Amino acid sequence: MSKDHARKRRARRTVQNTGSSYTSANAGTLHTHPAPVLVTVSGAPFGVSRTADMSAASAAIAAGLAGCEPCRASAMARLMLGDSLVLAVLAASLPQVPNRELSSITYIFCNDVQPHEYPPYTYDFTAGLGAVQRQNLLEDLVGIWTAVIPHLVGDTGTDLTAVVIDLTPAPPLAYRAGRTGFVPTPHGPFPALTLTSPDMTGSIEDLSERCGFPLYAWDTLPDVTDWVLQQHSVTLHPWGVCRVSEDGQTLALGSVEHPAEATSEWTGAAQRAGSVLVLGLWSGGFESLIHVVQAQEIFAVRARLHP
């Protein structure tokens, strides 16, 4: 059989399997399918200076919706050889799809990376994958998004091309240093710092679940944790806390541009104690803290000072 005849037979099989035109399959050119518009996403939230062109992802999803395997394979090949940032964008906003069989690498992502909701983690994860892992994750990402799109459109008869999906990650939760002062403990007054969230993005749930802040009991001075107080190098005014995990990832709460005011008495007490209490989202006076603590509404950690 000649090579040309074999190519024609493959083209006919493509027509039978996908419904694509014989001419386009024979020529090696693929047609387009109605697709939602995935807008270009800035890489800034992921810690990179380029943008993510989501057109290949949109084409892969559209081909999957249409059941056109040649077009899907072509788009997937582009994604496979393309920028890891595109995979990171698809993964960062990955919906939860119950009862769906996933590859082991996707399970690792869902269990170890996604809960952090921190885009730079996601980009580092996708950029560090080997070829097989990358392909498995890519298949799962595109498969999940293909399954989700019809639910976004619903039964309204909306043209897919009129659906615009922006996968830009939500801005990070914002925390700032609030007030400094002293809280009562069985060992006497102890230096403390409050955290606030001016734009209301931070929450007690986030501090408890993502950051691991435990409930604060006023009658017990908590043990020193792996959180470290962040201070201005000259004034020693505190601006937040940070923690470095075992895998080297840093979680910081606060803004260096917005430190809290602190008296010399407070900074001196903190230096002597080698640590301070950091109270999550407490905006009242320290003198009324005990009543709120008794109602179990305060989460706090004891952060150590830099040696």
Side-chain angles (χ1 to χ4, degrees):
M1 181 186 301
S2 69
K3 291 183 178 180
D4 184 63
H5 186 58
R7 178 165 57 84
K8 290 180 179 180
R9 287 193 60 182
R10 287 195 299 271
R12 291 191 184 96
R13 286 198 298 269
T14 300
V15 174
Q16 295 170 355
N17 293 335
T18 69
S20 58
S21 70
Y22 175 83
T23 302
S24 63
N26 185 43
T29 59
L30 302 173
H31 50 287
T32 59
H33 303 281
V37 178
L38 300 184
V39 299
T40 299
V41 176
S42 168
F46 297 87
V48 297
S49 58
R50 59 188 182 277
T51 58
D53 180 355
M54 305 301 294
S55 59
S58 179
I61 292 170
L65 291 170
C68 181
E69 184 55 34
C71 287
R72 186 179 185 278
S74 176
M76 293 294 281
R78 289 166 55 196
L79 289 169
M80 186 66 184
L81 299 175
D83 193 346
S84 295
L85 180 58
V86 175
L87 272 69
V89 171
L90 290 174
S93 302
L94 188 65
Q96 294 294 327
V97 180
N99 302 322
R100 185 181 182 90
E101 186 175 347
L102 301 173
S103 65
S104 59
I105 193 63
T106 307
Y107 276 118
I108 291 174
F109 170 78
C110 292
N111 292 330
D112 298 340
V113 180
Q114 192 178 34
H116 290 284
E117 296 183 354
Y118 187 56
Y121 291 4
T122 301
Y123 176 73
D124 290 345
F125 180 82
T126 58
L129 296 177
V132 174
Q133 292 176 325
R134 180 185 177 95
Q135 183 172 6
N136 289 340
L137 178 64
L138 179 59
E139 286 286 348
D140 286 338
L141 294 178
V142 172
I144 291 173
W145 276 110
T146 302
V148 165
I149 295 299
H151 296 284
L152 295 179
V153 177
D155 298 325
T156 61
T158 303
D159 182 1
L160 276 177
T161 59
V163 177
V164 179
I165 301 175
D166 187 352
L167 298 181
T168 301
L173 306 183
Y175 293 95
R176 289 185 185 176
R179 300 173 57 190
T180 57
F182 294 85
V183 295
T185 74
H187 305 281
F190 199 83
L193 169 70
T194 66
L195 291 176
T196 66
S197 182
D199 63 358
M200 306 293 287
T201 57
S203 67
I204 290 296
E205 292 75 19
D206 175 63
L207 290 176
S208 173
E209 297 172 9
R210 181 175 69 100
C211 304
F213 275 43
L215 275 171
Y216 171 52
W218 69 273
D219 57 349
T220 302
L221 183 62
D223 293 332
V224 177
T225 64
D226 53 357
W227 287 92
V228 179
L229 184 71
Q230 303 297 287
Q231 294 176 278
H232 190 281
S233 58
V234 177
T235 65
L236 298 184
H237 289 179
W239 59 263
V241 290
C242 78
R243 181 185 66 189
V244 179
S245 63
E246 293 181 356
D247 59 2
Q249 302 290 352
T250 300
L251 178 59
L253 305 177
S255 169
V256 68
E257 292 85 8
H258 299 91
E261 294 294 327
T263 64
S264 57
E265 178 188 11
W266 187 91
T267 56
Q271 290 287 339
R272 289 190 297 273
S275 60
V276 301
L277 282 176
V278 181
L279 308 174
L281 302 182
W282 172 246
S283 58
F286 288 111
E287 65 281 354
S288 60
L289 182 64
I290 292 178
H291 300 292
V292 182
V293 171
Q294 289 173 332
Q296 296 190 332
E297 296 177 1
I298 295 294
F299 291 76
V301 293
R302 184 175 170 188
R304 62 183 172 83
L305 271 64
H306 282 288

